[in-house]
Amino acid sequence: MSDTLIFSPKPDRPAPAESVGLIGWLRGNLFKDVPNALMTILGAYIAFVVLSWVLNWAIFNAVWEAESRRECLDMVGRSGACWPGVGVWFENMIYGLYPKDKVWRINLGFAVLIAWMIPLWMPKVQSKVAIGLSAVLIYPFLASYFFLGGDKSILWTALISLSLTVFVWVWATALSETFIGKSVGEVVVDKAGARNADEQRQRLIKRGVALVVFLVAVLLVNEWALEEVRTRVWGGLFLTLVISGIGITFSLPAGILLALGRRSDMPVISMLCTAFIELFRSVPLITILFMFNTMLPLFMPQGVEVDQLLRAIVAVCLFAAAYMAEVIRGGLQAIPKGQFEAAASLGLGYWQTTTQIVLPQALKIMIPTIVGNFIGLFKDTTLVSIIGLFDLMNMARAVGEDTTWLGLFIEPFFAVTMIYFVFCFAMSSYSMRLERKLATGRDR
Amino acid sequence: MSAEKRTKMIEVVGLNKWFGQFHVLKDIDLVVRDGEKIVICGPSGSGKSTLIRCINQLEHHQEGDILVGGVPVEKKGGNVREIRAQVGMVFQSFNLFPHITVLENCTLTPQLGLQMPKAEAEEIAMKHLTRVGIDDQALKYPLQLSGGQQQRVAIARALTMQPKIMLFDEPTSALDPEMIKEVLDVMVELAEEGMTMICVTHEMGFARQVADEVIFMDQGEIVEAGPPESFFANPRFDRSQQFLAHVM
Amino acid sequence: MALSTEAATPKSSPSNPLSRMWRDARIRAIILQVLTLVGVIAFFGWLVMNTAYNLSQRNMSAGFGFLDVSAGFGIGFTLVEYQEGDSYLRVFYVGILNTLLVAVVAIFLATVLGLIVGLARLSDNWLIGKIARCYVELLRNTPLLLQIIAWYFGVFNLLPRPKQSIELAEGFVLNNRGFYLPAPVPEAGFNIVLITFAAAVIFAIGLYRWSTVRLDKTGKAFPAISTGLAVIIGAPLAIHLALGAPLGWDIPVLKGFNFTGGTSVPPSFCALIVALSAYTSCFIAEIVRAGIQSVSKGQLEAAGALNLPPNWTLRRVVMPQALRVIIPPLISQYLNVTKNSSLAIAIGFPDLVSVWMNTSLNQSGRAIPIVAMTMAFYCLVSLSVSFVMNYYNKRALLKER
């Protein structure tokens, strides 16, 4: 037997210059052959023309200070944008005709929402699901009072106080889980010196503390009086966010119920759900909005007035729920049969199987589609302008109907297009990132 | 007939290939003569698949020369069809066309590539399907068959090209153990009929049985090459020993 | 599916009969369903009662009797003859035709555009791919209604007056009154051209059949598609010229303040079509891209290794597999176009929703029948589309074990 030779690999040589680096990249991606090079030149030309036209119009030739559209036209004609009109109307495009001295309430309302959701991005927080759910289910009571104001009934006072209490819990949880590494409840029990007490006593202490916070909140809320702002003056981006926010919040649970109903073995339930879903999916949203706008007053008993915003919201919610139901059904269908059988073999009942095993998986695989649906809903809220609500888009159109800025359409449309784009693109990029993350999770 | 007199079916001289900056194949030289059976083995990532994919131009190389049946491969792919006409290939993942029947998979090339009448194409297809033992499944769709059956169809399909050389790219790696044998049996039979073959495979039993030469590759290089008897009994390099210890 | 309430079978022997019944899943299911049904019926009954009361209070009726009453308003753009005195039923018909016109034109343009953009997205040219991506992201991330309104108020409404019209080509005129184009006027002998055309189509189909038979028999391919197209276009054209061009063109001309002659569509139609087809083309582009990408690299490599000629690889390997993935979402995009054409109302184009659900409803006050008829139309369209889709899906299912 001969001696073993040691294999020593040859050192890597750098790739030939024409296949890597800048030149290689250019060759591979822009100038592979003559037609490819021609395409590149054509594309560069188109990009140049479009970009230079847009930049010239929007920035270099634009008018930034003027009193009226006439003045703008006298200065640059149509070759440059007339931004002052947009500037004057900008506040309306964001808040609608909401009284200027009360706009802080909208800002505060959204600030609270953001504060509510910040713990979701804090890495050490454990109770993210509960916090997320509370933001969706509990926050709206507080927000509705911020936005609407007016007289509070006892029930509403209680709900607003509950909302405040939960908000306190959210941040207490976030802080204690981040810095102490325990849940709020445990911290409270520790402070009360009852760490070794029995479970019942511990629970009593936790509930007591929650009750105290709640009562303090009730006292505060009772003292707190905000003047009523009618929904008629709501508008702009604010209205768009309210309608789409409610639509998104409502559509997910309603869609889940409808999807489960459609797949149920009970023929009556499944037929009713199918009929609802198919009806709402087969007609355009605008016809549903029209229907609710004209027919809801007919359907209601004498003397019951339904606010126009509410009609639009009901229409949007039902429409969104029908679409969401089909997305969720798609997710449910993708769950392998074995999962159901496994759950049945564990002796789990229908609701346990559904909520603990099937739904989490179905929702997870459908996240990109669900977010896509949210984006669609957000874009579709523009349709409320057709039944006379002044959402972001309709506010932009109103600029061109203002006598001082008569005919100023392109600039405000350009501005709101940017706003819509930022929102939608952010959502879709986030969902794509999530999708990639989930995909790698599956591969492992 | 002495080995040196047989025609060179494939000749690779000084082949170098990079994926981006990654040097996958380093100075590869290889000669395959008519009727020879070569088995290429080596750890994953050693460049063995890339090497045979360069031969029928599924990958393009940057340096060196490849001659197939005496015809030099043009680096920019000018004579791809001329080269590929001589070479059949079987893939790890079968790559059958799922939307047409097994028979249609096998008549595609004779009918549309070699421009035969349909009847004649079907005759050839059935001949090869019978040879791999799938003739009774000819009217089924690929996904209705088991993995082993699919791979046998893929072999039959490659044979319908009437190639002079067959390349096998890990043909049994995606198969369940009980199906490996049926595919290997077909390959052995093919070898016995005198087909020139290059097989990338880890099936050492197959290599022992049919190979004229076993080539061991690592990190983009041919570490050692030799007849199976000496390679298996007496590997000369540390890397080959480790590898054999691992797969045997 | 295994989603069954029957999984929960009675565990212990219950004390009273009511709770025993509740534990039996089958009985529970029946009770639940009956309760739901009663609830739904009660809800609808309540709605019907309220509505009946409200209608009687306002002296309105829910019947369809108004359909043959004269509508008494004009419609800006119609495909068929329509006068102010025509009945509501006629208005409904006009609305449907306008909706279908928008849908068909937009679908055609969106498909062509979407195909081009989708292929551009897949281009191995980096710049072209990026430009196509920007186009798609920009258009699909902004609301369609905003795009329609922006095209209308920002472009088509701001076009110059008829006197300063933009003439795109001889007889194709664009101004703030709309888009004017020549109308064909058949003259004596044009029938012969039409007959030739029909004959050419039949010939081309025959040629295609013959070429497939010949391919099977001899293995020789014949370029039947290109030859057929050449015959379909060439033969009628040749006869047309031989007969001395018996098709006149009524070209729009400026008379006084406006163009007369030819045919025209209003600016709202142009805005609607441009916005709708551009918006939909993004979705179609993504569908095309996904479809082509769904054909795995392995399939192309196998076709390459089998030495299949590139055009046959496209026709026999890539297209059939890509189309399976493309067609279902494509059809649902077509349905979306039809539904989205209802946004015409925002810029006053007289489609079904605008002319029927808005104008007619306001004029006649018959909310219930009008809403019902509109919904019925859209439901009918969706139903027929899903019928086609189910048929296709059943046919295209990959046969697996």
Side-chain angles (χ1 to χ4, degrees):
Chain A
M1 202 174 191
S2 58
D3 289 336
T4 299
L5 301 172
I6 307 296
F7 169 62
S8 52
K10 293 181 190 168
D12 285 2
R13 274 192 289 135
E18 73 266 16
S19 67
V20 288
L22 182 64
I23 298 168
W25 187 85
L26 285 175
R27 266 206 190 175
N29 296 296
L30 292 177
F31 302 100
K32 196 171 272 172
D33 44 29
V34 176
N36 203 317
L38 285 178
M39 293 271 275
T40 305
I41 292 165
L42 180 75
Y45 177 72
I46 292 174
F48 171 75
V49 167
V50 170
L51 274 181
S52 65
W53 187 81
V54 169
L55 288 179
N56 275 332
W57 176 81
I59 297 175
F60 303 123
N61 287 342
V63 177
W64 299 92
E65 266 172 60
E67 289 303 314
S68 70
R69 176 137 193 269
R70 206 46 289 143
E71 229 177 273
C72 285
L73 288 178
D74 289 343
M75 282 201 259
V76 293
R78 289 188 189 282
S79 66
C82 178
W83 293 120
V86 177
V88 170
W89 275 79
F90 191 71
E91 208 166 323
N92 287 339
M93 284 170 22
I94 303 299
Y95 300 111
L97 301 177
Y98 210 85
K100 298 265 179 295
D101 57 330
K102 301 193 179 65
V103 159
W104 64 270
R105 280 161 50 178
I106 299 179
N107 295 338
L108 187 59
F110 281 100
V112 169
L113 178 62
I114 293 170
W116 205 303
M117 307 235 279
I118 284 175
L120 294 178
W121 280 272
M122 290 165 56
K124 284 187 184 164
V125 174
Q126 300 295 314
S127 326
K128 280 186 181 159
V129 174
I131 293 173
L133 277 180
S134 73
V136 169
L137 298 175
I138 310 284
Y139 163 76
F141 300 121
L142 189 59
S144 65
Y145 187 60
F146 274 125
F147 300 156
L148 274 171
D151 293 333
K152 307 185 281 278
S153 59
I154 296 176
L155 180 66
W156 201 6
T157 308
L159 288 175
I160 297 166
S161 314
L162 173 72
S163 198
L164 274 178
T165 314
V166 174
F167 184 51
V168 170
W169 170 81
V170 165
W171 270 97
T173 304
L175 293 176
S176 73
E177 284 178 359
T178 304
F179 295 110
I180 309 177
K182 288 179 183 170
S183 75
V184 209
E186 285 171 37
V187 173
V188 165
V189 169
D190 283 358
K191 288 272 181 248
R195 190 182 302 183
N196 302 320
D198 58 46
E199 207 172 304
Q200 207 170 359
R201 209 175 116 76
Q202 287 192 359
R203 205 181 300 149
L204 205 68
I205 291 172
K206 288 180 203 166
R207 285 190 185 163
V209 171
L211 190 68
V212 169
V213 176
F214 177 72
L215 288 177
V216 172
V218 168
L219 287 178
L220 281 175
V221 171
N222 221 16
E223 285 301 304
W224 186 34
L226 291 174
E227 215 174 300
E228 183 177 0
V229 179
R230 304 289 297 271
T231 57
R232 194 170 304 152
V233 297
W234 291 21
L237 179 61
F238 164 57
L239 184 71
T240 296
L241 288 179
V242 165
I243 297 177
S244 45
I246 295 178
I248 287 172
T249 310
F250 177 83
S251 69
L252 199 55
I256 290 174
L257 285 181
L258 281 170
L260 291 175
R262 187 170 184 172
R263 284 167 59 91
S264 149
D265 318 345
M266 294 184 261
V268 173
I269 306 247
S270 126
M271 258 164 51
L272 284 173
C273 290
T274 309
F276 176 88
I277 293 170
E278 290 302 325
L279 178 69
F280 275 77
R281 277 169 48 88
S282 62
V283 298
L285 174 57
I286 186 67
T287 62
I288 298 172
L289 279 166
F290 261 125
M291 185 178 92
F292 277 84
N293 204 29
T294 56
M295 310 239 299
L296 215 55
L298 284 178
F299 287 154
M300 287 297 122
Q302 191 76 359
V304 176
E305 279 284 316
V306 186
D307 179 278
Q308 203 188 10
L309 175 59
L310 191 59
R311 294 181 217 163
I313 287 177
V314 170
V316 167
C317 283
L318 295 181
F319 181 78
Y323 273 80
M324 192 57 75
E326 282 305 272
V327 172
I328 303 219
R329 192 167 71 105
L332 291 174
Q333 273 169 346
I335 306 291
K337 213 171 171 175
Q339 296 283 324
F340 292 91
E341 283 156 8
S345 73
L346 287 173
L348 296 181
Y350 173 76
W351 286 108
Q352 277 172 310
T353 311
T354 305
T355 54
Q356 287 168 21
I357 296 179
V358 180
L359 266 183
Q361 297 185 52
L363 291 180
K364 197 170 162 190
I365 48 179
M366 293 315 271
I367 281 178
T369 327
I370 290 173
V371 177
N373 246 23
F374 288 166
I375 296 173
L377 179 61
F378 183 72
K379 290 188 293 178
D380 278 345
T381 53
T382 48
L383 267 64
V384 299
S385 66
I386 296 177
I387 58 166
L389 294 175
F390 277 85
D391 72 323
L392 178 57
M393 192 201 76
N394 217 10
M395 270 298 169
R397 194 171 65 168
V399 179
E401 284 157 9
D402 177 356
T403 43
T404 338
W405 306 102
L406 202 63
L408 188 74
F409 286 114
I410 302 180
E411 289 84 348
F413 283 146
F414 190 83
V416 298
T417 302
M418 290 296 139
I419 297 178
Y420 278 111
F421 179 78
V422 167
F423 272 88
C424 297
F425 190 69
M427 278 196 269
S428 78
S429 313
Y430 180 70
S431 96
M432 274 191 272
R433 232 184 55 203
L434 213 59
E435 195 181 351
R436 269 198 297 273
K437 220 166 108 184
L438 290 177
T440 52
R442 262 201 298 278
D443 287 346
R444 261 174 223 157
Chain B
M1 186 162 50
S2 84
E4 301 311 312
K5 287 211 182 118
R6 281 184 285 177
T7 48
K8 292 177 182 170
M9 295 303 292
I10 289 174
E11 191 171 2
V12 176
V13 185
L15 178 69
N16 274 286
K17 174 161 178 62
W18 288 262
F19 284 130
Q21 281 292 8
F22 179 58
H23 201 168
V24 264
L25 292 177
K26 299 175 188 167
D27 303 329
I28 302 288
D29 296 306
L30 175 70
V31 174
V32 182
R33 289 174 189 277
D34 191 15
E36 267 187 329
K37 287 99 192 134
I38 310 288
V39 166
I40 305 180
C41 59
S44 66
S46 57
K48 48 198 194 307
S49 286
T50 310
L51 171 59
I52 65 168
R53 286 163 63 86
C54 280
I55 291 171
N56 79 340
Q57 291 290 283
L58 290 175
E59 303 284 357
H60 298 283
H61 59 286
Q62 283 100 341
E63 282 181 18
D65 294 307
I66 301 176
L67 288 88
V68 177
V71 183
V73 167
E74 288 175 22
K75 281 203 187 80
K76 288 209 162 168
N79 59 349
V80 173
R81 302 214 56 224
E82 196 185 336
I83 299 294
R84 285 180 180 166
Q86 309 175 52
V87 186
M89 179 149 184
V90 175
F91 297 87
Q92 178 178 356
S93 50
F94 328 141
N95 291 342
L96 294 178
F97 304 127
H99 60 292
I100 51 179
T101 62
V102 164
L103 182 61
E104 285 165 330
N105 263 283
C106 295
T107 55
L108 268 185
T109 299
Q111 222 190 331
L112 303 175
L114 308 177
Q115 306 206 329
M116 287 177 192
K118 190 180 181 185
E120 203 178 313
E122 280 181 354
E123 205 175 299
I124 289 180
M126 282 314 291
K127 185 180 95 192
H128 292 294
L129 283 173
T130 312
R131 184 171 176 184
V132 300
I134 309 281
D135 45 330
D136 50 340
Q137 319 264 23
L139 295 180
K140 284 196 179 166
Y141 286 83
L143 298 180
Q144 293 173 308
L145 305 182
S146 73
Q149 289 171 322
Q150 288 189 53
Q151 192 61 296
R152 277 144 68 197
V153 172
I155 295 173
R157 183 177 73 170
L159 289 173
T160 61
M161 297 172 67
Q162 302 170 337
K164 295 182 191 145
I165 306 144
M166 284 286 283
L167 306 177
F168 292 84
D169 186 1
E170 306 204 23
T172 54
S173 301
L175 295 176
D176 292 334
E178 72 269 22
M179 293 172 183
I180 290 177
K181 188 174 177 300
E182 64 185 68
V183 173
L184 289 180
D185 285 348
V186 170
M187 289 168 65
V188 169
E189 218 171 282
L190 201 60
E192 282 164 358
E193 286 166 26
M195 174 65 80
T196 313
M197 291 161 68
I198 304 182
C199 309
V200 171
T201 183
H202 290 164
E203 295 298 328
M204 292 303 136
F206 172 78
R208 237 189 263 270
Q209 193 178 347
V210 304
D212 296 310
E213 187 174 21
V214 178
I215 292 176
F216 174 72
M217 284 183 72
D218 189 27
Q219 299 183 43
E221 287 176 58
I222 294 181
V223 177
E224 67 173 288
E229 305 80 41
S230 66
F231 176 73
F232 287 118
N234 196 6
R236 288 181 295 138
F237 280 88
D238 56 338
R239 288 294 294 134
S240 343
Q241 287 166 5
Q242 284 162 19
F243 177 77
L244 284 177
H246 195 75
V247 295
M248 303 278 274
Chain C
M1 203 70 275
L3 252 185
S4 159
T5 45
E6 284 168 41
T9 41
K11 280 171 196 151
S12 59
S13 60
S15 45
N16 70 50
L18 260 182
S19 78
R20 188 167 49 217
M21 271 170 67
W22 186 246
R23 294 224 179 125
D24 184 332
R26 234 171 312 161
I27 295 178
R28 191 171 58 194
I30 290 171
I31 296 174
L32 252 172
Q33 294 185 67
V34 169
L35 284 181
T36 317
L37 202 59
V38 168
V40 169
I41 290 172
F43 178 68
F44 275 102
W46 181 70
L47 289 186
V48 167
M49 261 164 51
N50 285 339
T51 311
Y53 179 76
N54 284 328
L55 286 177
S56 70
Q57 284 284 302
R58 300 178 199 184
N59 280 326
M60 282 156 58
S61 95
F64 288 86
F66 72 103
L67 283 178
D68 43 14
V69 174
S70 161
F73 56 85
I75 298 179
F77 175 81
T78 60
L79 282 178
V80 286
E81 201 96 340
Y82 172 84
Q83 281 134 20
E84 271 188 30
D86 283 343
S87 67
Y88 276 111
L89 194 61
R90 187 82 176 163
V91 174
F92 184 59
Y93 180 55
V94 166
I96 287 182
L97 286 185
N98 281 352
T99 289
L100 292 179
L101 176 73
V102 172
V104 168
V105 176
I107 283 173
F108 174 75
L109 292 177
T111 309
V112 173
L113 207 56
L115 197 63
I116 295 171
V117 177
L119 293 177
R121 278 280 260 144
L122 289 170
S123 162
D124 50 10
N125 186 308
W126 179 86
L127 187 66
I128 297 290
K130 278 285 176 261
I131 290 177
R133 167 127 203 256
C134 286
Y135 172 88
V136 168
E137 293 293 357
L138 196 64
L139 287 188
R140 75 169 178 182
N141 280 319
T142 44
L144 171 60
L145 185 59
L146 177 60
Q147 293 181 32
I148 292 176
I149 290 184
W151 276 105
Y152 183 65
F153 285 102
V155 178
F156 287 100
N157 229 13
L158 297 181
L159 289 174
R161 273 173 288 225
K163 288 219 167 193
Q164 288 95 41
S165 293
I166 304 165
E167 193 149 356
L168 301 173
E170 170 73 29
F172 293 84
V173 180
L174 204 54
N175 60 43
N176 67 355
R177 301 280 183 90
F179 180 44
Y180 293 79
L181 54 167
V185 183
E187 287 155 19
F190 187 66
N191 282 344
I192 300 175
V193 178
L194 288 181
I195 292 168
T196 318
F197 175 73
V201 170
I202 293 170
F203 173 77
I205 294 171
L207 188 72
Y208 183 76
R209 290 246 170 99
W210 171 82
S211 78
T212 41
V213 171
R214 190 177 99 119
L215 180 69
D216 283 354
K217 273 207 180 124
T218 65
K220 299 276 184 296
F222 182 82
I225 293 176
S226 47
T227 316
L229 278 179
V231 170
I232 289 175
I233 295 166
L237 202 66
I239 298 285
H240 180 73
L241 294 176
L243 290 175
L247 182 71
W249 289 97
D250 181 10
I251 291 170
V253 281
L254 188 64
K255 271 201 188 130
F257 290 111
N258 206 351
F259 277 84
T260 56
T263 180
S264 70
V265 286
S268 55
F269 181 83
C270 302
L272 192 60
I273 291 295
V274 170
L276 203 51
S277 20
Y279 181 76
T280 313
S281 72
C282 297
F283 293 91
I284 295 184
E286 289 299 282
I287 290 169
V288 168
R289 182 175 73 105
I292 293 177
Q293 281 182 338
S294 77
V295 181
S296 67
K297 213 176 146 208
Q299 294 280 309
L300 295 177
E301 286 181 350
L306 282 172
N307 218 9
L308 216 53
N311 61 332
W312 285 114
T313 304
L314 193 65
R315 274 174 65 183
R316 292 282 169 92
V317 178
V318 179
M319 290 294 275
Q321 295 191 65
L323 282 180
R324 257 168 231 272
V325 178
I326 289 174
I327 283 182
L330 188 65
I331 292 178
S332 83
Q333 278 305 318
Y334 289 170
L335 189 60
N336 279 352
V337 173
T338 315
K339 287 194 273 177
N340 284 337
S341 70
S342 61
L343 297 181
I345 187 178
I347 51 171
F349 178 78
D351 82 317
L352 181 64
V353 169
S354 156
V355 90
W356 185 244
M357 219 176 178
N358 195 34
T359 318
S360 297
L361 196 151
N362 290 340
Q363 292 271 319
S364 70
R366 308 296 172 101
I368 293 170
I370 284 181
V371 168
M373 283 170 78
T374 319
M375 299 260 179
F377 167 74
Y378 284 107
C379 284
L380 194 71
V381 172
S382 300
L383 264 177
S384 21
V385 168
S386 60
F387 185 77
V388 171
M389 196 113 99
N390 283 343
Y391 174 75
Y392 177 82
N393 282 342
K394 225 171 259 168
R395 249 197 50 187
L397 205 67
L398 272 190
K399 290 192 182 57
E400 288 182 41
R401 280 204 283 187

